[in-house]
Amino acid sequence: MVKLNENFAKLPGSYLFAEIARRTAEYTKANPDRRLIKLGIGDVTQPLSPSVISAMHKAVDEMGSKESFMGYGPYEGYAFLREAIVSHDYAPFGAPISADEIFISDGAKSDCGNIGDIFSEDNIVAVCDPVYPVYVDVNAMAGRAGDYDGTRWTNLVYLPCNERNGFIPELPVRKPDIIYLCFPNNPTGAAANKEQLKLWVDYALRNDAIILFDAAYREYITEPDIPHSIYEIEGATECAIEFCSFSKTAGFTGTRCGYTTIPRALKREGESLYDVWMRRQSSKYNGTPYIIQRGAEAVYSPEGEREYKQQIAYYMNNAAVIRDGLKQAGLTVYGGVNSPYIWAKTPDGMQSWDFFDKLLREANVVTTPGAGFGPEGEGFIRLTGFGDAEATKQAIERIVGTLK
Ligand SMILES: *Cc1c(COP(=O)(O)O)cnc(C)c1O
């Protein structure tokens, strides 16, 4: 008889986005003439840039000729892309990473989850609260989270991120083995500076823990002294794995490409984690498509870089419009400076979902209730700069009008 992985039965339904969709659909059905504006989206909206498109077209043509056809590629990705990553994302920041420490992937989400394959089920996992739900769900599926008590998982270490600590987690009392950190952060938009990250790197080194660092929003950093990579912190090559993605950098959410860095110096129980991950990848992954890797390489060309920076400036301009508008409406807002996310405090201690409903009904704007990202998210909503500029401006005018 087939038995299913019992951990899946412990997962609560994908409540957050399903519930947002349900409430939105219900409102639209009752009010078909209202035009809703969605500021809850976590997906990019600008098209792929001309450099990326032309590199992919060229690669498609190469695939059609016998001389230049490419079959299975290296499990860790093509050297042309790994070298471009080093010279663009690591070397300029003084991060001591070489091309043979990088694995090209089909995105950061899959690797953030799949990396669990190389760690025992017995490890204690720490996550920020509020958090990108992927880290929690994948560990629940692997049996590392314990049971869900309706609010929290019994075996996870939660690291509260709130106004008191500036949304940067403090070191925990209960010692975790694996620590997920994501900066700049989704959903709070907070960015950790060098000193704050160093505290975590030192902690991991002292306690033999491993940091899984998600740097998906590194290109949104605008302030100095905010590290773009955890490897800017001394000692991180001995305690951290880093996940990056072309999704938010260059609009690859539907195109799929990212990379995972595992320094050769990262060892546990005498084993190189690079080698263990290579063993895993060579059995479970046959590589990111050549055409896509050529597209990603073009992101790093001078023209490609100019183009993606323009797209990011467009989103960050939306973020500024949201930030300034909500402030003007009297709300307390965070984020939007080194990240496309705005984390806004609800007025008068209103619950996240109540404020969500109010904005839906009175301003016809869809947001994301902070409580959906974890218990510490209660009392906040998340808005994103990923929308259309005109629509964003209009949405904020509506919200300001509603809150007057
Ligand atoms: C969007 C996002 C990613 C990117 O995921 P991909 O699978 O590369 O598209 C990773 N981490 C966080 C926190 C994100 O918000």
Side-chain angles (χ1 to χ4, degrees):
M1 193 182 88
V2 172
K3 289 188 181 152
L4 297 180
N5 178 342
E6 67 224 21
N7 296 315
F8 280 67
K10 297 182 185 174
L11 292 167
S14 154
Y15 173 72
L16 179 59
F17 291 100
E19 183 60 18
I20 291 171
R22 194 190 67 74
R23 292 189 191 209
T24 306
E26 191 181 86
Y27 181 83
T28 307
K29 200 170 162 211
N31 305 276
D33 53 321
R34 301 294 178 86
R35 195 180 69 87
L36 298 183
I37 301 178
K38 298 186 174 169
L39 292 189
I41 46 168
D43 194 358
V44 297
T45 51
Q46 295 284 299
L48 292 173
S49 78
S51 300
V52 170
I53 290 298
S54 101
M56 291 202 293
H57 278 162
K58 183 163 165 268
V60 168
D61 288 339
E62 284 179 68
M63 293 300 255
S65 120
K66 195 165 195 312
E67 290 67 45
S68 50
F69 169 76
M70 307 294 273
Y72 289 127
Y75 300 119
E76 72 275 31
Y78 289 100
F80 63 76
L81 180 53
R82 289 182 289 107
E83 280 158 13
I85 288 167
V86 168
S87 55
H88 185 278
D89 290 353
Y90 286 130
F93 298 93
I97 296 297
S98 58
D100 66 352
E101 298 175 306
I102 295 171
F103 291 85
I104 307 303
S105 71
D106 62 357
K109 188 198 234 181
S110 358
D111 275 12
C112 281
N114 292 336
I115 197 74
D117 275 14
I118 70 171
F119 297 110
S120 153
E121 193 186 310
D122 302 332
N123 289 293
I124 303 295
V125 176
V127 294
C128 289
D129 173 17
V131 71
Y132 179 55
V134 172
Y135 316 143
V136 172
D137 290 358
V138 296
N139 280 289
M141 290 171 188
R144 282 187 207 100
D147 295 299
Y148 190 64
D149 69 8
T151 314
R152 290 182 174 80
W153 289 88
T154 53
N155 210 27
L156 290 182
V157 173
Y158 287 88
L159 309 169
C161 296
N162 48 40
E163 285 182 293
R164 283 188 300 286
N165 55 30
F167 304 97
I168 307 295
E170 287 137 281
L171 301 176
V173 178
R174 185 182 177 204
K175 270 189 205 161
D177 304 298
I178 294 172
I179 303 155
Y180 280 90
L181 294 179
C182 170
F183 291 105
N185 189 264
N186 173 14
T188 69
N193 64 29
K194 287 202 170 131
E195 208 179 316
Q196 290 164 328
L197 274 188
K198 183 172 186 319
L199 219 60
W200 278 98
V201 167
D202 290 346
Y203 176 84
L205 289 171
R206 245 185 354 262
N207 294 291
D208 209 29
I210 285 185
I211 295 172
L212 302 179
F213 191 77
D214 185 339
Y217 296 96
R218 53 171 289 152
E219 294 301 325
Y220 289 79
I221 292 171
T222 60
E223 291 182 320
D225 195 43
I226 303 293
H228 289 65
S229 160
I230 187 111
Y231 304 116
E232 289 179 50
I233 313 298
E234 201 185 335
T237 53
E238 283 160 52
C239 67
I241 293 175
E242 182 164 275
F243 306 97
C244 280
S245 170
F246 293 93
S247 284
K248 313 300 163 37
T249 297
F252 275 55
T253 51
T255 307
R256 311 306 308 143
C257 194
Y259 63 89
T260 293
T261 302
I262 309 187
R264 299 286 180 159
L266 184 54
K267 297 195 168 131
R268 288 299 183 271
E269 299 181 334
E271 301 272 353
S272 142
L273 296 199
Y274 179 98
D275 292 344
V276 182
W277 181 244
M278 175 61 95
R279 186 71 187 81
R280 189 269 176 205
Q281 287 299 78
S282 58
S283 293
K284 290 200 184 183
Y285 191 62
N286 249 341
T288 308
Y290 172 74
I291 296 162
I292 304 298
Q293 293 193 54
R294 281 297 185 195
E297 180 193 26
V299 169
Y300 295 125
S301 67
E303 192 56 18
E305 178 169 352
R306 206 181 54 75
E307 291 163 352
Y308 87 71
K309 288 194 164 152
Q310 237 167 36
Q311 294 181 348
I312 289 178
Y314 177 91
Y315 298 135
M316 287 304 278
N317 189 56
N318 288 343
V321 166
I322 298 171
R323 229 182 110 88
D324 297 347
L326 296 187
K327 261 192 195 165
Q328 186 201 323
L331 296 185
T332 304
V333 294
Y334 300 96
V337 175
N338 296 301
S339 127
Y341 295 109
I342 280 83
W343 190 240
K345 198 171 173 179
T346 63
D348 310 319
M350 206 184 266
Q351 301 271 295
S352 292
W353 279 109
D354 292 341
F355 194 45
F356 169 89
D357 284 334
K358 182 180 167 68
L359 294 179
L360 174 63
R361 297 205 188 108
E362 296 172 21
N364 294 161
V365 175
V366 182
T367 58
T368 312
F373 297 101
E376 285 286 322
E378 183 53 89
F380 288 87
I381 56 160
R382 189 193 74 174
L383 300 100
T384 89
F386 285 131
D388 173 77
E390 242 349 278
T392 301
K393 225 189 273 170
Q394 209 183 341
I396 294 307
E397 279 164 17
R398 288 190 198 165
I399 294 179
V400 172
T402 296
L403 297 179
K404 258 201 187 119

